[in-house]
Amino acid sequence: MSNIVAIVGRPNVGKSTLFNRLTESRDAIVDETSGVTRDRHYGKSEWNGIEFSVIDTGGYVKSSADIFEEEIRKQVHLAIDEADVILFIVDVEGSITDLDEAIAEMLRKINKKVFLVVNKVDNYERQYDANIFYSLGLGELYMISSINGSGTGDLLDDMVSLFKKKGREQETKLPRFAIIGRPNVGKSSLINTLIGEERNIVTPISGTTRDSIYSRYNKYNHDFYLVDTAGLRKKGKVTEDIEFYSIMRSIRTVENSDVCLLMIDAPRDIESQDVNIFNLVKKNNKGILILVNKWDLIDKDTNNTKEFTARIKDKISPFKDVPVIFISAITKQRIHRVLETAVNVYENRKQRISTSKLNKTVSEIVLKYPPPSVKGKFVKIKYVTQLPTTAPSFAFFCNLPQYIKEPYKRYLENKLRENFNFTGVPIQIFFRKK
């Protein structure tokens, strides 16, 4: 299961600085997605070999103090609902404010681990000043300085120790296919059609699906879980924060799946939010196929599948080796192809290529078009191997890995795709010194 850490607290206590430290300081795994939500941040981080997602809930600037407080409270509620662990940040320079008290009162009532983090503690005098925060009644204090990083190691050690325990839980090994997409594209309708029963509540109101719903599919020689993405809360509960809530749900569903079936609303064409969700899947190295739903509502004279597919591939470039299926969840058009393709993508993601076969293929590829020379120096690729990761990744050993640029990396990826079937699967390529 994925682990989500939410950073909460009033404005200007250093939430974003801590978020940047957690996500950007380990540049191999930086995965900050901005633009999915207007002023929220989602990133991936790693500590002691354990990966987790980080949500920064900051970003409101309102003129009225009352509205401001209400927005902060709303965000904390969202974080509490979705996160496994809460980092509650307070500022040693500002002592305890009413807003700190209000957030602490909410956090004391929840059944989740809360770390009380006192920020800007960068000398002995401030360590003494920090003791006042014990009065918030949230247990041990973690004194840190998010600017220079002091104290963050102890905090992270204690935090990821909780995730280790969580990881030991036995989970079923069945493949998980997640149905994802913007609200109201027909995710629940598709699952009902596939399962052949009204298993999930379907209404035209976006936000009907509250939690991730797992449906076991066990027929026609298939056995896997279909996951209906928990979408949004009912409208009364969340207003401005609908997008924020949605992306938190999407993150959890994507991270806990093997293959994602991204549904696009045909009458609305492919939109920027669809592309953002696609990129979320790609960055998590999950298998993906795109389903263009409600194709029965489209005027076929002005729109054909070829043109529509070309528009999609253009938007998701450079990773274009993705199946696109035009369906109608209501009329069951091409529904049988959806599961067959999802299973194929799952198999592509699992495949292992023998080192001898890989090296034979790659040596021919490199011989045909070797890496361009840089400053008169020639890069020689000597050996390649597939790494033992859940998603396909390859290590190319060479004499001057630093001189291999992005265009050549893309060339190698395209050639691997030509020779081995990785349709619907992101590939990672690393260059290492031999």
Side-chain angles (χ1 to χ4, degrees), residues 300-360:
K300 305 301 185 294
D301 295 334
T302 54
N303 257 296
N304 62 50
T305 55
K306 217 172 198 172
E307 288 170 1
F308 208 108
T309 303
R311 283 203 299 277
I312 290 172
K313 298 277 175 107
D314 182 53
K315 289 275 178 73
I316 63 174
S317 181
F319 174 36
K320 297 193 280 192
D321 187 12
V322 176
V324 179
I325 307 172
F326 293 81
I327 67 163
S328 167
I330 302 295
T331 67
K332 304 188 180 179
Q333 184 182 3
R334 297 191 190 86
I335 288 301
H336 65 284
R337 278 191 56 201
V338 171
L339 292 185
E340 286 169 19
T341 310
V343 170
N344 289 342
V345 170
Y346 176 73
E347 294 301 330
N348 294 349
R349 188 171 180 262
K350 266 194 347 181
Q351 73 172 312
R352 306 284 311 164
I353 302 163
S354 72
T355 304
S356 56
K357 194 175 179 184
L358 198 55
N359 279 281
K360 183 177 183 297

Side-chain angles (χ1 to χ4, degrees), residues 99-153:
L99 208 43
D100 291 330
E101 292 274 13
I103 295 169
E105 190 182 346
M106 280 189 280
L107 296 176
R108 283 197 297 269
K109 293 173 185 167
I110 67 166
N111 189 26
K112 289 188 181 178
K113 179 64 182 171
V114 177
F115 289 89
L116 178 52
V117 182
V118 188
N119 192 23
K120 306 180 188 175
V121 181
D122 47 17
N123 59 41
Y124 286 120
E125 192 180 323
R126 288 186 170 184
Q127 281 179 14
Y128 177 77
D129 292 341
N131 289 316
I132 191 172
F133 290 98
Y134 278 113
S135 66
L136 291 174
L138 288 167
E140 189 181 348
L141 301 183
Y142 288 82
M143 301 180 200
I144 70 157
S145 169
S146 52
I147 290 247
N148 64 33
S150 68
T152 52

Side-chain angles (χ1 to χ4, degrees), residues 14 17 34 39 98 101 197 199 202 213 215 244 255 260 274-275 309 336 389-390 424 431:
T17 311
S34 58
D39 53 5
D98 291 346
E101 292 274 13
E197 57 184 81
R199 169 67 190 273
V202 181
I213 301 169
S215 305
F244 174 56
E255 289 184 343
C260 294
D274 300 317
V275 178
T309 303
H336 65 284
T389 49
T390 49
F431 296 99

Side-chain angles (χ1 to χ4, degrees), residues 97-277:
T97 68
D98 291 346
L99 208 43
D100 291 330
E101 292 274 13
I103 295 169
E105 190 182 346
M106 280 189 280
L107 296 176
R108 283 197 297 269
K109 293 173 185 167
I110 67 166
N111 189 26
K112 289 188 181 178
K113 179 64 182 171
V114 177
F115 289 89
L116 178 52
V117 182
V118 188
N119 192 23
K120 306 180 188 175
V121 181
D122 47 17
N123 59 41
Y124 286 120
E125 192 180 323
R126 288 186 170 184
Q127 281 179 14
Y128 177 77
D129 292 341
N131 289 316
I132 191 172
F133 290 98
Y134 278 113
S135 66
L136 291 174
L138 288 167
E140 189 181 348
L141 301 183
Y142 288 82
M143 301 180 200
I144 70 157
S145 169
S146 52
I147 290 247
N148 64 33
S150 68
T152 52
D154 292 341
L155 169 65
L156 288 166
D157 284 345
D158 288 357
M159 191 176 78
V160 300
S161 68
L162 301 174
F163 302 155
K164 285 180 194 170
K165 292 170 194 166
K166 190 175 173 180
R168 291 199 190 106
E169 294 169 12
Q170 284 302 307
E171 288 182 32
T172 176
K173 295 295 177 197
L174 287 178
R176 293 179 176 192
F177 297 164
I179 317 278
I180 61 172
R182 285 185 290 103
N184 209 24
V185 291
K187 299 187 288 290
S188 298
S189 298
L190 176 63
I191 288 192
N192 289 342
T193 302
L194 293 172
I195 301 288
E197 57 184 81
E198 291 298 308
R199 169 67 190 273
N200 299 340
I201 306 159
V202 181
T203 76
I205 305 160
S206 59
T208 306
T209 309
R210 173 80 195 279
D211 298 304
S212 289
I213 301 169
Y214 286 76
S215 305
R216 178 91 173 258
Y217 185 95
N218 190 359
K219 46 188 169 184
Y220 310 120
N221 296 322
H222 292 312
D223 194 7
F224 50 77
Y225 280 116
L226 279 168
V227 191
D228 188 3
T229 314
L232 316 174
R233 263 201 206 251
K234 291 203 174 69
K235 241 179 173 171
K237 297 277 180 74
V238 183
T239 50
E240 295 88 343
D241 286 292
I242 272 181
E243 271 194 288
F244 174 56
Y245 194 86
S246 167
I247 198 63
M248 288 183 87
R249 289 288 196 194
S250 298
I251 292 159
R252 189 180 287 279
T253 309
V254 166
E255 289 184 343
N256 293 339
S257 66
D258 299 298
V259 175
C260 294
L261 287 64
L262 171 58
M263 290 186 78
I264 289 174
D265 191 318
R268 291 176 65 172
D269 215 313
I270 181 166
E271 298 183 341
S272 58
Q273 181 76 339
D274 300 317
V275 178
N276 285 322
I277 297 171

Side-chain angles (χ1 to χ4, degrees), residues 5-8 13-26 29-34 37 39-46 52-58 87 89 117 119 144-147 152 155-156 244 251:
V5 176
I7 303 175
V8 304
V13 291
K15 297 190 297 297
S16 296
T17 311
L18 180 61
F19 171 85
N20 288 338
R21 175 160 290 279
L22 294 183
T23 54
E24 293 175 359
S25 57
R26 279 159 272 286
I29 343 175
V30 170
D31 184 20
E32 182 184 334
T33 307
S34 58
T37 49
D39 53 5
R40 305 297 177 282
H41 287 107
Y42 151 66
K44 291 187 78 67
S45 185
E46 176 265 342
F52 53 93
S53 294
V54 190
I55 305 284
D56 174 14
T57 61
L87 301 185
I89 315 292
V117 182
N119 192 23
I144 70 157
S145 169
S146 52
I147 290 247
T152 52
L155 169 65
L156 288 166
F244 174 56
I251 292 159

